[in-house]
Amino acid sequence: MSRAEGQRERTESLAHRVPDLAALELLLAVARLGSLGAAAREVGITQPAASSRLRSMERQLGVALVDRSPRGSRLTDAGALVTDWARRVVEAAAAFDAGARALRDRRDSRLRVAASMTIAEYLLPGWLLALHAERPDTAVSLLAGNSAKVAELLLAGEADLGFVEGLDVPTGLDSTVIAHDRLIVVTAPGHPWARRRRPLTAAELASTPLILRERGSGTRQVLDAALGGLARPLIELSSTTAVKASAVSGAGPSVLSELAVGEELSLRRLVSIPVEGVPLRRALRAVWPTGHRPTGPARELLSLTRA
C-alpha cells in the first residue's frame, strides 16, 4: 500500500471502509446456506441484487469473499475470516437494536404532561382519554400549574410535553399553536354590571379590582397586556375553579376563559359582560424544550390536540 493510500484510509470514515449491515447479513447467509440464491431469498432480495451487493463488498474490502460455481457458493479463506468478523458486528448491532428498543419501550411506558389550569381542567381530559384508547399501557401523569410553572417543569426535565395559555412562549421552549380561546368578563347576576345597558370600557375594567389568577398565569398575562395594567386584585387565587366559584358567589367580577364558564352562563349563575376595545383572544400552545421535538406518546398526544 502506498503512503497516499494509507493516508486516505486514515482520513476516511468507517462508514466508507466497512460494509453495511445488509451486506454483512447477506455474507453470513451465504456462509450458512452455501448458496447465493438461498441467501438472497432469506434476506428478501433477488439473486442479481445479492450478486451485486456481494461484488460491491468485495471491491470495498479489496479481497474475494466467495467462490461461485454451479454446485453453489463457497467462502474463500479471506471470506471465512471476514464472515467471522461479520458475525461479531451483526451480533453487536443486534444488541444495539435491543437496547434502543428497550429505551423506546421505557419512554413509551409513561408520559408526563404539564399544563396551565384552563387547558388542564377543560381540554386535556378529553385528549388523554383519546390517548388512552390508542395507548392503554402508557401511564400518564398530569401536573397542573400556571404557564410559568409549566415552563419550569419542562426545562428541569420533569415533564415531556406542556401546554400554556400566555401571550409569549417562555424562553428555552419551542411551541405550536393548537387552539384559540377568548377571555370574557363575568359577574354574578346580582352585580351592578349585570344590569348595564352599554359595554364596559377598557378604562373601567382596568380600574376595577377583580377576582384574578395569580401572577404567572396565562389569563393574568393576557389581561394585563390588553389593558396596559390592572388595579390591585380584589382576590388573587391559584386556580380557575376557585376564581369561578368566587365570582358565582357574588364576591366580585372576574375575567375567565370562555371554556371554563359555559355551564355557568347557560344556567345564569354567571353573566357575561361586554367590553369594548379590549382584545381578549389568546392562543393556546403546546410547548417543549428547544430542539427536542416530542416523540412517542408525547408526539401522539400532540397530534390528538389537532384532531
Side-chain angles (χ1 to χ4, degrees), residues 137-157:
D137 296 329
T138 297
V140 180
S141 60
L142 172 60
L143 301 166
N146 61 36
S147 295
K149 182 62 176 178
V150 170
E152 179 185 318
L153 290 167
L154 285 167
L155 294 173

Side-chain angles (χ1 to χ4, degrees), residues 4 12 17 33 68 70 73 76 78 89 104 124 156 192 210 213 223 262 281 302:
E12 284 181 346
R17 303 200 310 271
L33 300 172
R68 305 166 185 80
S73 299
T76 65
V89 171
R104 290 193 300 272
L124 260 173
L210 302 170
R213 286 285 308 280
L223 184 60
R281 184 173 166 83
L302 182 56

